[in-house]
Amino acid sequence: MPSDHAPTRPLPTGGGTGTRPLPVVAPAGPTGPYAGSPAAPPARPQAGASRPTTQPGPTTQPGPTTQPGPTARVAPRVVAGLVALLAAALAWAVWRFFVDTYAGQMLERAAFDGAVNGQGRLWTLGEPVLDTVSVTFVVGGLAAAMAIAVVRRRWGLAVQVAFLVVGANVTTQAVKHVLLGRENLIGGWTADNSLPSGHTTVAASVAAALLLVVPRGGRPLVAVLGGAYTAAIGVSTLVGQWHRPSDVVAAVLVVLAWGALVCAFTPRSSLDPRAGASPGSVVTAVLLFLGAAASGAAALWAMRATPATWDTTTAQEATAYLGGVAGVTAVTACAFALLLLVRQSTARPVAAGVQR
């Protein structure tokens, strides 16, 4: 029978036969505030039971939200379309008066003959300017404009400037050689139709393309420089008696029409994200408009001071010539001011914030 007493064993010493109880050693328990408590044997996992893991479960992280792209405004596109139509109508009106009427042909005859005044000295400045215009210039200028658009990741803009440059130059050649003619209404002075000017169209279209592709902050400067270069080309054609004033004016209007037209169909990829107001562009445009107004007033005065007859003096012919120069300057300044405003307004999206 089991005994309630502790087990005994014989003592190794003393020779006696007595026995002494052995102490019962309790198994080591856990340390800490519950030291001395009997430790429970670890539970064995049951077959098929999943082993608990100490790693926390995956937390749901908010994914990146897709921001809607910029949205173009409708009103600036409509205005751009109206500007394109107005420019085309004005180009036709220039041809209608200066090429298709007796008075217009006589005024331009006087301006053409007045170009001989100081022509030798002025031609030394004008000829190098005209030498910059060539087929290579067109291809290089268009390639540069498209490259800027591609570097800025504006794929639609690259297509836009291609339409602008190619469309404007093809239109000029078609109008000059196919669509419009020149009937000799004044007698004694014949020449084929030269409206619009091809050299001026090349210069203006490349300048307009660069205006469209550069970043928003650089467009006012490009508008001023591009307008100055276009005017220099146009005036140089007058100095060399390559063209009449109406030829240059019509060429600038053709480019304005195409530039405004492509801006009216600006794709979303050509917008300026988070673009705000452009006070610098407005100031530049106002200054260009003021210069155009002053030059236009001088051109109108010269037209009124030149009689529409063959009996014109050298002074009157010089006046008509200077009036033609003023007219070219006025139309060019006004055209690039309009292109600047049209581009900035059509490139500004609906949700305008801080300019990037």
Short mmCIF file of all heavy atoms in Angstrom, two decimals, residues 286-353:
data_model
loop_
_atom_site.label_atom_id
_atom_site.label_comp_id
_atom_site.label_asym_id
_atom_site.label_seq_id
_atom_site.Cartn_x
_atom_site.Cartn_y
_atom_site.Cartn_z
N VAL A 286 0.14 94.04 -74.04
CA VAL A 286 -0.30 95.45 -74.05
C VAL A 286 0.77 96.34 -74.68
O VAL A 286 0.47 97.23 -75.49
CB VAL A 286 -0.63 95.91 -72.62
CG1 VAL A 286 -0.82 97.42 -72.57
CG2 VAL A 286 -1.89 95.21 -72.12
N LEU A 287 2.04 96.09 -74.35
CA LEU A 287 3.11 96.89 -74.94
C LEU A 287 3.19 96.66 -76.45
O LEU A 287 3.41 97.62 -77.22
CB LEU A 287 4.44 96.53 -74.28
CG LEU A 287 4.59 96.92 -72.81
CD1 LEU A 287 5.92 96.43 -72.25
CD2 LEU A 287 4.46 98.43 -72.63
N LEU A 288 3.00 95.43 -76.87
CA LEU A 288 3.01 95.16 -78.31
C LEU A 288 1.83 95.84 -79.00
O LEU A 288 1.96 96.38 -80.11
CB LEU A 288 2.97 93.65 -78.56
CG LEU A 288 4.25 92.87 -78.24
CD1 LEU A 288 4.01 91.38 -78.37
CD2 LEU A 288 5.39 93.30 -79.15
N PHE A 289 0.68 95.82 -78.36
CA PHE A 289 -0.50 96.50 -78.93
C PHE A 289 -0.27 98.01 -79.02
O PHE A 289 -0.68 98.64 -80.01
CB PHE A 289 -1.74 96.21 -78.08
CG PHE A 289 -2.33 94.85 -78.31
CD1 PHE A 289 -2.72 94.07 -77.24
CD2 PHE A 289 -2.50 94.35 -79.60
CE1 PHE A 289 -3.26 92.81 -77.45
CE2 PHE A 289 -3.05 93.10 -79.82
CZ PHE A 289 -3.43 92.32 -78.74
N LEU A 290 0.37 98.58 -78.02
CA LEU A 290 0.64 100.02 -78.07
C LEU A 290 1.61 100.35 -79.22
O LEU A 290 1.42 101.33 -79.95
CB LEU A 290 1.23 100.49 -76.74
CG LEU A 290 0.27 100.47 -75.55
CD1 LEU A 290 1.01 100.87 -74.27
CD2 LEU A 290 -0.91 101.42 -75.80
N GLY A 291 2.64 99.53 -79.38
CA GLY A 291 3.55 99.73 -80.50
C GLY A 291 2.85 99.55 -81.83
O GLY A 291 3.10 100.31 -82.79
N ALA A 292 1.94 98.58 -81.90
CA ALA A 292 1.19 98.37 -83.14
C ALA A 292 0.28 99.56 -83.44
O ALA A 292 0.14 99.97 -84.60
CB ALA A 292 0.36 97.09 -83.03
N ALA A 293 -0.32 100.12 -82.40
CA ALA A 293 -1.20 101.27 -82.60
C ALA A 293 -0.43 102.47 -83.13
O ALA A 293 -0.87 103.17 -84.06
CB ALA A 293 -1.91 101.63 -81.30
N ALA A 294 0.75 102.72 -82.56
CA ALA A 294 1.57 103.85 -83.02
C ALA A 294 2.02 103.65 -84.46
O ALA A 294 1.95 104.57 -85.30
CB ALA A 294 2.77 104.03 -82.09
N SER A 295 2.50 102.44 -84.77
CA SER A 295 2.94 102.16 -86.13
C SER A 295 1.78 102.19 -87.11
O SER A 295 1.91 102.67 -88.25
CB SER A 295 3.64 100.80 -86.19
OG SER A 295 4.78 100.77 -85.36
N GLY A 296 0.63 101.68 -86.68
CA GLY A 296 -0.54 101.69 -87.55
C GLY A 296 -1.01 103.10 -87.87
O GLY A 296 -1.43 103.39 -89.01
N ALA A 297 -0.94 103.98 -86.87
CA ALA A 297 -1.32 105.37 -87.12
C ALA A 297 -0.39 106.01 -88.14
O ALA A 297 -0.83 106.76 -89.03
CB ALA A 297 -1.30 106.16 -85.80
N ALA A 298 0.91 105.71 -88.05
CA ALA A 298 1.87 106.25 -89.03
C ALA A 298 1.59 105.70 -90.42
O ALA A 298 1.69 106.43 -91.43
CB ALA A 298 3.30 105.91 -88.59
N ALA A 299 1.24 104.41 -90.50
CA ALA A 299 0.94 103.82 -91.80
C ALA A 299 -0.30 104.46 -92.43
O ALA A 299 -0.32 104.74 -93.65
CB ALA A 299 0.75 102.31 -91.64
N LEU A 300 -1.34 104.67 -91.64
CA LEU A 300 -2.55 105.30 -92.17
C LEU A 300 -2.28 106.73 -92.63
O LEU A 300 -2.79 107.17 -93.67
CB LEU A 300 -3.65 105.29 -91.10
CG LEU A 300 -4.22 103.91 -90.76
CD1 LEU A 300 -5.21 104.02 -89.61
CD2 LEU A 300 -4.88 103.29 -91.99
N TRP A 301 -1.46 107.47 -91.89
CA TRP A 301 -1.12 108.83 -92.30
C TRP A 301 -0.37 108.81 -93.63
O TRP A 301 -0.62 109.65 -94.52
CB TRP A 301 -0.27 109.51 -91.23
CG TRP A 301 0.23 110.85 -91.66
CD1 TRP A 301 -0.41 112.04 -91.60
CD2 TRP A 301 1.52 111.13 -92.26
NE1 TRP A 301 0.38 113.05 -92.12
CE2 TRP A 301 1.55 112.51 -92.52
CE3 TRP A 301 2.63 110.35 -92.58
CZ2 TRP A 301 2.68 113.13 -93.10
CZ3 TRP A 301 3.74 110.95 -93.15
CH2 TRP A 301 3.75 112.31 -93.41
N ALA A 302 0.55 107.86 -93.80
CA ALA A 302 1.32 107.78 -95.04
C ALA A 302 0.41 107.44 -96.22
O ALA A 302 0.60 107.98 -97.33
CB ALA A 302 2.42 106.74 -94.90
N MET A 303 -0.57 106.58 -95.99
CA MET A 303 -1.49 106.24 -97.08
C MET A 303 -2.30 107.46 -97.52
O MET A 303 -2.48 107.69 -98.73
CB MET A 303 -2.44 105.13 -96.62
CG MET A 303 -1.80 103.75 -96.54
SD MET A 303 -2.99 102.49 -95.99
CE MET A 303 -4.25 102.64 -97.27
N ARG A 304 -2.74 108.25 -96.56
CA ARG A 304 -3.53 109.44 -96.89
C ARG A 304 -2.67 110.51 -97.56
O ARG A 304 -3.17 111.32 -98.36
CB ARG A 304 -4.17 110.01 -95.64
CG ARG A 304 -5.23 109.10 -95.03
CD ARG A 304 -5.79 109.69 -93.73
NE ARG A 304 -6.42 110.98 -93.99
CZ ARG A 304 -7.69 111.15 -94.33
NH1 ARG A 304 -8.47 110.08 -94.48
NH2 ARG A 304 -8.18 112.35 -94.54
N ALA A 305 -1.38 110.51 -97.27
CA ALA A 305 -0.49 111.53 -97.84
C ALA A 305 0.03 111.15 -99.21
O ALA A 305 0.70 111.97 -99.86
CB ALA A 305 0.69 111.78 -96.89
N THR A 306 -0.25 109.94 -99.67
CA THR A 306 0.26 109.49 -100.97
C THR A 306 -0.88 109.48 -101.98
O THR A 306 -1.85 108.74 -101.81
CB THR A 306 0.84 108.07 -100.85
OG1 THR A 306 1.85 108.05 -99.83
CG2 THR A 306 1.44 107.63 -102.16
N PRO A 307 -0.79 110.27 -103.03
CA PRO A 307 -1.85 110.27 -104.05
C PRO A 307 -1.80 108.99 -104.88
O PRO A 307 -0.72 108.46 -105.18
CB PRO A 307 -1.53 111.50 -104.90
CG PRO A 307 -0.06 111.72 -104.73
CD PRO A 307 0.27 111.26 -103.33
N ALA A 308 -2.96 108.49 -105.23
CA ALA A 308 -3.05 107.26 -106.01
C ALA A 308 -2.97 107.58 -107.50
O ALA A 308 -3.87 107.29 -108.29
CB ALA A 308 -4.34 106.53 -105.68
N THR A 309 -1.85 108.19 -107.91
CA THR A 309 -1.62 108.54 -109.31
C THR A 309 -0.17 108.23 -109.66
O THR A 309 0.66 107.94 -108.78
CB THR A 309 -1.88 110.04 -109.55
OG1 THR A 309 -0.93 110.82 -108.80
CG2 THR A 309 -3.30 110.42 -109.13
N TRP A 310 0.12 108.37 -110.98
CA TRP A 310 1.51 108.20 -111.41
C TRP A 310 2.34 109.44 -111.09
O TRP A 310 3.57 109.35 -111.03
CB TRP A 310 1.56 107.95 -112.91
CG TRP A 310 1.23 106.52 -113.27
CD1 TRP A 310 0.04 106.04 -113.70
CD2 TRP A 310 2.13 105.42 -113.22
NE1 TRP A 310 0.12 104.70 -113.92
CE2 TRP A 310 1.40 104.27 -113.64
CE3 TRP A 310 3.47 105.26 -112.87
CZ2 TRP A 310 1.98 103.00 -113.71
CZ3 TRP A 310 4.04 103.99 -112.95
CH2 TRP A 310 3.31 102.88 -113.36
N ASP A 311 1.69 110.55 -110.87
CA ASP A 311 2.42 111.80 -110.64
C ASP A 311 2.77 111.95 -109.17
O ASP A 311 2.25 112.81 -108.45
CB ASP A 311 1.57 112.99 -111.11
CG ASP A 311 1.25 112.93 -112.60
OD1 ASP A 311 2.11 112.42 -113.35
OD2 ASP A 311 0.13 113.35 -112.99
N THR A 312 3.65 111.11 -108.70
CA THR A 312 4.09 111.20 -107.31
C THR A 312 5.53 111.69 -107.28
O THR A 312 6.36 111.31 -108.12
CB THR A 312 4.01 109.83 -106.62
OG1 THR A 312 4.66 108.86 -107.44
CG2 THR A 312 2.58 109.43 -106.38
N THR A 313 5.82 112.50 -106.31
CA THR A 313 7.18 113.01 -106.14
C THR A 313 8.04 111.98 -105.40
O THR A 313 7.53 111.00 -104.85
CB THR A 313 7.16 114.32 -105.36
OG1 THR A 313 6.66 114.07 -104.04
CG2 THR A 313 6.27 115.35 -106.05
N THR A 314 9.33 112.26 -105.40
CA THR A 314 10.24 111.37 -104.66
C THR A 314 9.90 111.34 -103.18
O THR A 314 9.95 110.29 -102.52
CB THR A 314 11.69 111.82 -104.87
OG1 THR A 314 11.99 111.82 -106.27
CG2 THR A 314 12.65 110.91 -104.14
N ALA A 315 9.52 112.48 -102.63
CA ALA A 315 9.16 112.55 -101.22
C ALA A 315 7.89 111.74 -100.93
O ALA A 315 7.79 111.05 -99.91
CB ALA A 315 8.96 114.00 -100.80
N GLN A 316 6.94 111.83 -101.84
CA GLN A 316 5.71 111.06 -101.64
C GLN A 316 5.96 109.56 -101.73
O GLN A 316 5.37 108.77 -100.99
CB GLN A 316 4.67 111.50 -102.66
CG GLN A 316 4.10 112.90 -102.42
CD GLN A 316 3.23 113.37 -103.55
OE1 GLN A 316 3.38 112.95 -104.71
NE2 GLN A 316 2.30 114.29 -103.25
N GLU A 317 6.85 109.19 -102.64
CA GLU A 317 7.17 107.77 -102.75
C GLU A 317 7.93 107.28 -101.51
O GLU A 317 7.69 106.16 -101.03
CB GLU A 317 8.00 107.53 -104.01
CG GLU A 317 7.20 107.75 -105.29
CD GLU A 317 8.07 107.71 -106.53
OE1 GLU A 317 9.32 107.60 -106.38
OE2 GLU A 317 7.54 107.77 -107.65
N ALA A 318 8.80 108.13 -100.99
CA ALA A 318 9.50 107.77 -99.74
C ALA A 318 8.52 107.66 -98.58
O ALA A 318 8.64 106.77 -97.72
CB ALA A 318 10.59 108.80 -99.45
N THR A 319 7.53 108.55 -98.57
CA THR A 319 6.49 108.48 -97.53
C THR A 319 5.69 107.19 -97.63
O THR A 319 5.40 106.54 -96.61
CB THR A 319 5.56 109.70 -97.65
OG1 THR A 319 6.31 110.89 -97.48
CG2 THR A 319 4.46 109.64 -96.61
N ALA A 320 5.34 106.82 -98.85
CA ALA A 320 4.60 105.56 -99.04
C ALA A 320 5.44 104.36 -98.60
O ALA A 320 4.92 103.41 -97.99
CB ALA A 320 4.19 105.42 -100.50
N TYR A 321 6.72 104.41 -98.90
CA TYR A 321 7.62 103.33 -98.51
C TYR A 321 7.72 103.22 -96.99
O TYR A 321 7.60 102.12 -96.42
CB TYR A 321 8.99 103.57 -99.14
CG TYR A 321 10.10 102.71 -98.62
CD1 TYR A 321 10.06 101.32 -98.77
CD2 TYR A 321 11.21 103.28 -98.00
CE1 TYR A 321 11.09 100.53 -98.31
CE2 TYR A 321 12.25 102.50 -97.55
CZ TYR A 321 12.19 101.13 -97.69
OH TYR A 321 13.21 100.35 -97.24
N LEU A 322 7.91 104.34 -96.32
CA LEU A 322 7.98 104.33 -94.85
C LEU A 322 6.65 103.92 -94.25
O LEU A 322 6.60 103.25 -93.21
CB LEU A 322 8.39 105.71 -94.34
CG LEU A 322 9.82 106.14 -94.69
CD1 LEU A 322 10.08 107.57 -94.21
CD2 LEU A 322 10.84 105.18 -94.10
N GLY A 323 5.56 104.32 -94.91
CA GLY A 323 4.25 103.87 -94.46
C GLY A 323 4.09 102.36 -94.56
O GLY A 323 3.48 101.72 -93.69
N GLY A 324 4.64 101.78 -95.64
CA GLY A 324 4.62 100.33 -95.77
C GLY A 324 5.40 99.64 -94.67
O GLY A 324 4.96 98.62 -94.12
N VAL A 325 6.57 100.21 -94.33
CA VAL A 325 7.37 99.66 -93.24
C VAL A 325 6.60 99.73 -91.93
O VAL A 325 6.57 98.78 -91.13
CB VAL A 325 8.71 100.40 -93.13
CG1 VAL A 325 9.46 99.98 -91.87
CG2 VAL A 325 9.56 100.16 -94.37
N ALA A 326 5.94 100.86 -91.68
CA ALA A 326 5.15 101.02 -90.47
C ALA A 326 3.99 100.04 -90.43
O ALA A 326 3.65 99.47 -89.38
CB ALA A 326 4.64 102.46 -90.36
N GLY A 327 3.36 99.83 -91.58
CA GLY A 327 2.26 98.87 -91.63
C GLY A 327 2.70 97.46 -91.32
O GLY A 327 2.02 96.72 -90.59
N VAL A 328 3.85 97.06 -91.86
CA VAL A 328 4.39 95.73 -91.56
C VAL A 328 4.68 95.59 -90.07
O VAL A 328 4.35 94.57 -89.45
CB VAL A 328 5.66 95.49 -92.40
CG1 VAL A 328 6.41 94.25 -91.90
CG2 VAL A 328 5.30 95.33 -93.87
N THR A 329 5.28 96.60 -89.49
CA THR A 329 5.61 96.57 -88.06
C THR A 329 4.35 96.48 -87.22
O THR A 329 4.29 95.72 -86.24
CB THR A 329 6.41 97.81 -87.67
OG1 THR A 329 7.59 97.89 -88.49
CG2 THR A 329 6.82 97.77 -86.22
N ALA A 330 3.33 97.23 -87.58
CA ALA A 330 2.09 97.24 -86.80
C ALA A 330 1.40 95.88 -86.82
O ALA A 330 1.00 95.35 -85.78
CB ALA A 330 1.15 98.33 -87.34
N VAL A 331 1.27 95.31 -88.01
CA VAL A 331 0.56 94.03 -88.12
C VAL A 331 1.35 92.92 -87.43
O VAL A 331 0.77 92.05 -86.76
CB VAL A 331 0.30 93.70 -89.59
CG1 VAL A 331 -0.27 92.30 -89.73
CG2 VAL A 331 -0.64 94.71 -90.21
N THR A 332 2.67 92.94 -87.54
CA THR A 332 3.48 91.90 -86.91
C THR A 332 3.39 91.98 -85.39
O THR A 332 3.22 90.96 -84.72
CB THR A 332 4.95 92.04 -87.35
OG1 THR A 332 5.03 91.97 -88.78
CG2 THR A 332 5.79 90.93 -86.75
N ALA A 333 3.49 93.19 -84.83
CA ALA A 333 3.38 93.34 -83.38
C ALA A 333 2.02 92.90 -82.87
O ALA A 333 1.90 92.20 -81.85
CB ALA A 333 3.65 94.79 -82.99
N CYS A 334 0.98 93.28 -83.58
CA CYS A 334 -0.37 92.89 -83.18
C CYS A 334 -0.57 91.38 -83.28
O CYS A 334 -1.18 90.75 -82.40
CB CYS A 334 -1.39 93.62 -84.05
SG CYS A 334 -3.11 93.38 -83.54
N ALA A 335 -0.04 90.77 -84.33
CA ALA A 335 -0.22 89.34 -84.52
C ALA A 335 0.45 88.54 -83.42
O ALA A 335 -0.13 87.58 -82.87
CB ALA A 335 0.34 88.93 -85.89
N PHE A 336 1.67 88.91 -83.04
CA PHE A 336 2.36 88.14 -82.00
C PHE A 336 1.79 88.43 -80.62
O PHE A 336 1.86 87.55 -79.73
CB PHE A 336 3.86 88.41 -82.06
CG PHE A 336 4.57 87.53 -83.06
CD1 PHE A 336 4.65 87.90 -84.40
CD2 PHE A 336 5.12 86.33 -82.68
CE1 PHE A 336 5.28 87.09 -85.32
CE2 PHE A 336 5.76 85.51 -83.60
CZ PHE A 336 5.83 85.90 -84.92
N ALA A 337 1.24 89.59 -80.41
CA ALA A 337 0.53 89.84 -79.15
C ALA A 337 -0.70 88.94 -79.05
O ALA A 337 -0.97 88.35 -77.99
CB ALA A 337 0.13 91.31 -79.06
N LEU A 338 -1.43 88.82 -80.13
CA LEU A 338 -2.61 87.95 -80.13
C LEU A 338 -2.22 86.48 -79.97
O LEU A 338 -2.88 85.73 -79.23
CB LEU A 338 -3.40 88.15 -81.43
CG LEU A 338 -4.18 89.45 -81.55
CD1 LEU A 338 -4.78 89.59 -82.95
CD2 LEU A 338 -5.29 89.51 -80.50
N LEU A 339 -1.17 86.06 -80.65
CA LEU A 339 -0.73 84.67 -80.51
C LEU A 339 -0.32 84.37 -79.07
O LEU A 339 -0.61 83.28 -78.53
CB LEU A 339 0.45 84.39 -81.45
CG LEU A 339 0.12 84.02 -82.89
CD1 LEU A 339 1.41 83.83 -83.69
CD2 LEU A 339 -0.73 82.75 -82.94
N LEU A 340 0.35 85.32 -78.43
CA LEU A 340 0.76 85.12 -77.04
C LEU A 340 -0.46 84.95 -76.14
O LEU A 340 -0.52 84.02 -75.32
CB LEU A 340 1.61 86.30 -76.58
CG LEU A 340 2.00 86.33 -75.11
CD1 LEU A 340 2.83 85.10 -74.74
CD2 LEU A 340 2.75 87.62 -74.78
N LEU A 341 -1.43 85.83 -76.28
CA LEU A 341 -2.62 85.76 -75.43
C LEU A 341 -3.44 84.50 -75.72
O LEU A 341 -3.96 83.86 -74.79
CB LEU A 341 -3.48 87.01 -75.63
CG LEU A 341 -2.86 88.33 -75.17
CD1 LEU A 341 -3.81 89.49 -75.46
CD2 LEU A 341 -2.52 88.28 -73.68
N VAL A 342 -3.55 84.15 -77.00
CA VAL A 342 -4.33 82.96 -77.35
C VAL A 342 -3.67 81.70 -76.80
O VAL A 342 -4.34 80.81 -76.24
CB VAL A 342 -4.49 82.88 -78.88
CG1 VAL A 342 -4.97 81.50 -79.30
CG2 VAL A 342 -5.47 83.93 -79.37
N ARG A 343 -2.37 81.61 -76.95
CA ARG A 343 -1.66 80.43 -76.44
C ARG A 343 -1.78 80.32 -74.92
O ARG A 343 -2.05 79.24 -74.38
CB ARG A 343 -0.19 80.49 -76.86
CG ARG A 343 0.69 79.41 -76.22
CD ARG A 343 0.21 78.03 -76.53
NE ARG A 343 1.10 77.02 -75.95
CZ ARG A 343 0.70 75.82 -75.58
NH1 ARG A 343 -0.56 75.46 -75.73
NH2 ARG A 343 1.55 74.96 -75.07
N GLN A 344 -1.57 81.41 -74.20
CA GLN A 344 -1.64 81.37 -72.75
C GLN A 344 -3.04 81.03 -72.26
O GLN A 344 -3.20 80.29 -71.29
CB GLN A 344 -1.19 82.72 -72.16
CG GLN A 344 0.26 83.11 -72.47
CD GLN A 344 1.28 82.23 -71.79
OE1 GLN A 344 1.30 81.03 -71.99
NE2 GLN A 344 2.16 82.83 -71.00
N SER A 345 -4.05 81.56 -72.91
CA SER A 345 -5.42 81.33 -72.45
C SER A 345 -5.89 79.91 -72.77
O SER A 345 -6.53 79.26 -71.94
CB SER A 345 -6.37 82.35 -73.06
OG SER A 345 -6.37 82.26 -74.48
N THR A 346 -5.57 79.41 -73.95
CA THR A 346 -5.99 78.05 -74.29
C THR A 346 -5.19 76.99 -73.56
O THR A 346 -5.65 75.86 -73.40
CB THR A 346 -5.88 77.81 -75.81
OG1 THR A 346 -4.53 78.11 -76.24
CG2 THR A 346 -6.86 78.69 -76.57
N ALA A 347 -3.98 77.32 -73.10
CA ALA A 347 -3.16 76.36 -72.37
C ALA A 347 -3.48 76.32 -70.89
O ALA A 347 -3.01 75.42 -70.18
CB ALA A 347 -1.67 76.69 -72.56
N ARG A 348 -4.26 77.25 -70.41
CA ARG A 348 -4.60 77.29 -68.99
C ARG A 348 -5.81 76.40 -68.73
O ARG A 348 -6.87 76.61 -69.30
CB ARG A 348 -4.91 78.72 -68.57
CG ARG A 348 -5.23 78.88 -67.09
CD ARG A 348 -5.52 80.32 -66.77
NE ARG A 348 -5.88 80.49 -65.37
CZ ARG A 348 -6.24 81.64 -64.83
NH1 ARG A 348 -6.30 82.73 -65.59
NH2 ARG A 348 -6.54 81.71 -63.55
N PRO A 349 -5.67 75.38 -67.87
CA PRO A 349 -6.79 74.45 -67.66
C PRO A 349 -7.87 75.05 -66.78
O PRO A 349 -7.73 76.16 -66.24
CB PRO A 349 -6.11 73.25 -66.96
CG PRO A 349 -4.93 73.86 -66.27
CD PRO A 349 -4.46 74.99 -67.14
N VAL A 350 -8.93 74.30 -66.61
CA VAL A 350 -10.07 74.77 -65.82
C VAL A 350 -9.67 74.95 -64.36
O VAL A 350 -9.88 76.00 -63.76
CB VAL A 350 -11.25 73.79 -65.94
CG1 VAL A 350 -12.36 74.17 -64.97
CG2 VAL A 350 -11.79 73.78 -67.37
N ALA A 351 -9.09 73.89 -63.76
CA ALA A 351 -8.71 73.96 -62.36
C ALA A 351 -7.35 74.62 -62.27
O ALA A 351 -6.32 73.95 -62.23
CB ALA A 351 -8.67 72.56 -61.75
N ALA A 352 -7.33 75.95 -62.27
CA ALA A 352 -6.07 76.68 -62.23
C ALA A 352 -5.59 76.80 -60.80
O ALA A 352 -6.33 77.19 -59.91
CB ALA A 352 -6.22 78.07 -62.85
N GLY A 353 -4.33 76.42 -60.55
CA GLY A 353 -3.75 76.56 -59.22
C GLY A 353 -2.44 77.31 -59.32
O GLY A 353 -2.33 78.30 -60.01
#
